[in-house]
Amino acid sequence: MASGVEELLDMLYTMIDEARSVPLSSDRCMIERDRALDILDDVRAQFPMEIREAKKLQDSRTEYLNAAKREADTIKKQAEDDAEKALSDNELMAQARQKSAEMVQSAETQAKELRQAANEYCDDLLSRAEEAMKEAHDEIQQKHASFTASMQPNPSAQQEGARRAYDAEKDE
């Protein structure tokens, strides 16, 4: 079985190129539908893993942000509880409020920093995945354009009754 996307596309191209013409038609051919669909399924299965990894990372980021928010809420609740226990003494109460506010501020700052770092990491990974997909898409478009161009009748060749054939080596 073919290993790379390019090899699978070459197999599909060869299948189409070698297909028998439909009777009474010079621009239509018959191919084995199941075989062509199997090759396309193999191409789809081999698309860059970055797409799946980006989705996993996005899910992890959401889970991470939710955990950071829960932790911040826990710290805030703990600070509030500590403050309530210190109500018996005005001085202790003032200190508890200050410490509580500092803890809340610290937790919020830490959550913000964690959120920012997770967002930057996700953005970077998604950008790389997007670039990989764009490169794969551009390559497919180029192969398709080459294939389409090779299937266009050549005016001088029409006079001779000949048809241009696609040359995969020219694309390399």
Side-chain angles (χ1 to χ4, degrees), residues 24-38:
L24 303 175
S25 176
S26 63
D27 62 341
R28 298 185 188 265
C29 64
M30 293 189 301
I31 61 171
E32 295 178 42
R33 179 189 314 231
D34 290 339
R35 185 169 167 226
L37 289 174
D38 288 343

Side-chain angles (χ1 to χ4, degrees), residues 4-34:
V5 173
E6 287 184 42
E7 190 176 336
L8 289 167
L9 290 172
D10 288 343
M11 287 174 57
L12 185 60
Y13 178 82
T14 301
M15 178 194 300
I16 293 170
D17 190 44
E18 295 175 355
R20 292 182 302 190
S21 294
V22 173
L24 303 175
S25 176
S26 63
D27 62 341
R28 298 185 188 265
C29 64
M30 293 189 301
I31 61 171
E32 295 178 42
R33 179 189 314 231
D34 290 339

Side-chain angles (χ1 to χ4, degrees), residues 65-126:
L65 291 174
N66 288 338
K69 186 176 186 294
R70 284 192 302 271
E71 184 178 343
D73 289 344
T74 301
I75 291 171
K76 183 177 179 180
K77 175 113 172 74
Q78 181 65 41
E80 289 171 354
D81 290 347
D82 290 347
E84 285 179 19
K85 290 178 184 176
L87 282 175
S88 62
D89 189 35
N90 285 340
E91 185 177 326
L92 288 176
M93 189 169 94
Q95 290 175 354
R97 284 184 180 157
Q98 182 180 358
K99 185 175 181 178
S100 173
E102 289 171 1
M103 290 174 72
V104 168
Q105 180 63 36
S106 174
E108 289 175 352
T109 301
Q110 184 180 11
K112 184 177 179 180
E113 289 171 358
L114 291 173
R115 200 173 309 123
Q116 180 66 27
N119 285 340
E120 289 172 2
Y121 183 72
C122 286
D123 185 53
D124 179 56
L125 188 61
L126 289 172

Side-chain angles (χ1 to χ4, degrees), residues 48-62 118 121-133:
M49 290 299 292
E50 286 88 3
I51 297 169
R52 290 186 199 118
E53 289 178 25
K55 185 170 178 15
K56 288 179 186 177
L57 181 64
Q58 189 174 18
D59 293 342
S60 294
R61 176 190 160 272
T62 301
Y121 183 72
C122 286
D123 185 53
D124 179 56
L125 188 61
L126 289 172
S127 293
R128 287 187 288 158
E130 181 181 7
E131 183 63 33
M133 287 179 57

Side-chain angles (χ1 to χ4, degrees), residues 149 152-165:
Q152 298 298 319
N154 186 344
S156 62
Q158 273 188 336
Q159 294 170 357
E160 301 168 13
R163 220 174 100 198
R164 272 183 21 194

